Amino acid sequence: MYSEKVMDHFQNPRNVGEIEHASGMGTVGNAKCGDIMRIYLDIDENQIIRDVKFKTFGCGAAVATSSMATELVKGKSIQEAMQVTNKAVMEALDGLPPVKVHCSLLAEEAIHAALWDYAQKHQMTIEGLEQPKSDIGEEEEEEEY
Ligand code: FES
């Protein structure tokens, strides 16, 4: 059911932990399952992501996607990190079962929330970045409200 890459990142997740005095930190919850993800970013003066760590109360797919997502944004510029969508992460992992796709949103949204936090602290705008929601869900669910 899971690709070898998913199993590898689940069993040996990269970049787990936290960063003290992080440049940006973002926490999001997944409205579908109640799981939580927190991402810490260390961004240098040239706006390059020097280091990134994550912590999650999430399922195996959330762990694997976050691990891959952190690998994909590490060493990248903020604009490059904005291109790391949940789709890009899933592709890098050779896919996820359809019922687990919502789990991959946690990492993307938490990275965006951490970038938002960084932008707020530096009074800057990041192109394409919107204010994060604390709870993420699928679009159609949000329309019910
Ligand atoms: Fe909640 Fe996967 S079931 S993140």
Side-chain angles (χ1 to χ4, degrees):
M1 169 163 158
Y2 288 116
S3 73
E4 269 176 37
K5 282 189 192 162
V6 172
M7 290 311 290
D8 175 33
H9 278 264
F10 168 57
Q11 278 162 346
N12 311 294
R14 310 346 179 228
N15 308 311
V16 174
E18 52 188 278
I19 297 175
E20 251 187 87
H21 313 297
S23 321
M25 188 189 83
T27 309
V28 292
N30 191 318
K32 265 206 156 162
C33 58
D35 290 342
I36 293 170
M37 171 78 56
R38 178 170 290 169
I39 296 256
Y40 302 84
L41 295 174
D42 177 18
I43 299 173
D44 72 13
E45 59 284 358
N46 298 317
Q47 300 191 351
I48 301 294
I49 299 172
R50 208 162 21 190
D51 199 10
V52 46
K53 296 266 190 253
F54 80 94
K55 272 185 167 177
T56 186
F57 288 100
C59 68
V63 171
T65 47
S66 307
S67 168
M68 179 56 94
T70 54
E71 286 285 274
L72 291 176
V73 301
K74 206 177 197 174
K76 302 280 168 62
S77 69
I78 288 176
Q79 280 310 325
E80 286 169 328
M82 287 293 295
Q83 310 300 319
V84 178
T85 59
N86 73 309
K87 284 203 184 78
V89 173
M90 283 194 294
E91 270 170 34
L93 285 169
D94 295 336
L96 272 181
V99 292
K100 288 286 169 186
V101 170
H102 72 101
C103 314
S104 67
L105 284 168
L106 269 177
E108 176 189 321
E109 294 292 327
I111 288 172
H112 287 178
L115 286 172
W116 180 267
D117 180 39
Y118 170 80
Q120 293 288 100
K121 284 181 183 154
H122 291 79
Q123 285 155 8
M124 59 180 273
T125 0
I126 297 174
E127 213 187 310
L129 185 64
E130 286 170 16
Q131 181 161 19
K133 301 169 239 152
S134 55
D135 256 340
I136 57 165
E138 318 250 332
E139 297 283 275
E140 66 268 27
E141 285 175 349
E142 278 161 30
E143 281 164 19
E144 284 167 22
Y145 295 100

